[in-house]
Amino acid sequence: MVSIDVAPLAALQLCLTDRQPGYTSDDEGNGDGGASDFADKHEDAEVIGIDLSRNQPSSPVQNLRFELDDIASEWTYPSKFDFIHMRTLYGSIADWPALYQQCYENMESNGFIEQFEVGITPHRLDGDLEPDNIFVRQADFAREAERLINKPVFISDTMKSLIAEAGFVDVVETRYRWPLGEWGDTEREREIGKFNREWWLSAIENWIMALATRHMGVCSTVIFCFNISI
């Protein structure tokens, strides 16, 4: 099986329970962790981790190799994949239908595709957020950035239909409530909210700095002040 691994391992396992030894796995946009975890868990798989950046560690796992490549370019892999996994590529791909078509054309007939994306639009349980809410403003910023760079940021809203249009069948979409802060109803949700808050606080500047300064004419000082307000 060839898989692109960038999803929670529990979800990956659901897709792999009926696979035979010797499959190949390809991990697109893998960063430095997903492919290693997947390869270590599935020793019979040949796993390929793909990213644009040279940020992958030297892998101690024998069935894993990393490749520096642009998945938006023409695919030239010598064999087809049994499993393709992508995660958090919102704002990175200009032509999603073309990418899904390449996934379909390079997939074995009984293979799987899996994609994990984050919804950018904020929600609250007891009604709509005010227009001047900082997270609504951040979503408005993302919507304007999407228009300027012509790379969909809100791909989580359309990926199910686009995957089906590429030819994949039995497409299933599962949505999860992702609290921001420790207000959840259960201990599990409060734990998720705690880590999600830290993720936002540590990453928001990296998410928006390049877009704001390169494409929207906003100086870095304004971005810094915006980040503090979050």
Side-chain angles (χ1 to χ4, degrees):
M1 160 180 179
V2 177
S3 152
I4 297 179
D5 157 35
V6 215
L9 289 180
L12 296 180
Q13 185 62 45
L14 292 176
C15 294
L16 293 172
T17 51
D18 63 345
R19 307 306 295 171
Q20 299 298 315
Y23 55 84
T24 310
S25 165
D26 183 17
D27 173 4
E28 294 182 359
N30 87 97
D32 60 3
S36 297
D37 291 339
F38 184 87
D40 188 53
K41 190 175 182 66
H42 302 282
E43 296 180 356
D44 290 328
E46 177 189 355
V47 182
I48 307 170
I50 300 171
D51 206 303
L52 276 174
S53 303
R54 291 189 181 277
N55 61 346
Q56 297 86 4
S58 298
S59 174
V61 185
Q62 296 299 314
N63 59 325
L64 167 65
R65 73 176 188 271
F66 290 108
E67 293 187 6
L68 191 67
D69 201 358
D70 181 0
I71 61 169
S73 300
E74 182 181 0
W75 290 20
T76 57
Y77 306 110
S79 60
K80 291 189 174 183
F81 300 118
D82 297 291
F83 185 74
I84 295 177
H85 180 82
M86 300 179 282
R87 180 169 61 193
T88 54
L89 293 177
Y90 57 91
S92 301
I93 305 297
D95 192 344
W96 278 102
L99 176 57
Y100 291 135
Q101 191 63 44
Q102 290 210 91
C103 291
Y104 183 78
E105 292 173 355
N106 287 272
M107 180 80 71
E108 295 287 359
S109 59
N110 60 344
F112 294 91
I113 183 173
E114 183 174 43
Q115 184 171 359
F116 171 85
E117 296 293 339
V118 178
I120 304 300
T121 304
H123 302 277
R124 62 184 298 173
L125 298 181
D126 56 353
D128 295 331
L129 292 166
E130 297 296 327
D132 62 347
N133 179 277
I134 191 65
F135 296 107
V136 173
R137 291 167 56 197
Q138 189 270 341
D140 291 340
F141 169 89
R143 197 167 284 106
E144 176 63 11
E146 178 181 76
R147 183 186 68 81
L148 291 172
I149 66 175
N150 195 31
K151 292 182 178 180
V153 174
F154 297 85
I155 185 60
S156 63
D157 296 335
T158 58
M159 61 184 185
K160 179 183 178 181
S161 60
L162 292 176
I163 289 172
E165 289 172 9
F168 291 98
V169 297
D170 301 326
V171 180
V172 176
E173 179 182 69
T174 304
R175 289 181 173 264
Y176 298 93
R177 187 170 74 176
W178 205 7
L180 182 56
E182 299 176 67
W183 53 263
D185 297 330
T186 67
E187 182 177 350
R188 175 64 171 165
E189 285 192 339
R190 289 190 289 273
E191 181 182 28
I192 292 172
K194 176 182 178 180
F195 284 103
N196 192 26
R197 180 186 62 197
E198 293 304 313
W199 183 49
W200 270 78
L201 292 175
S202 63
I204 184 65
E205 183 173 332
N206 294 329
W207 292 340
I208 67 178
M209 181 65 75
L211 290 171
T213 56
R214 296 176 189 172
H215 302 283
M216 304 181 74
V218 180
C219 70
S220 58
T221 302
V222 173
I223 298 302
F224 179 74
C225 293
F226 180 83
N227 294 342
I228 290 179
S229 66
I230 290 181

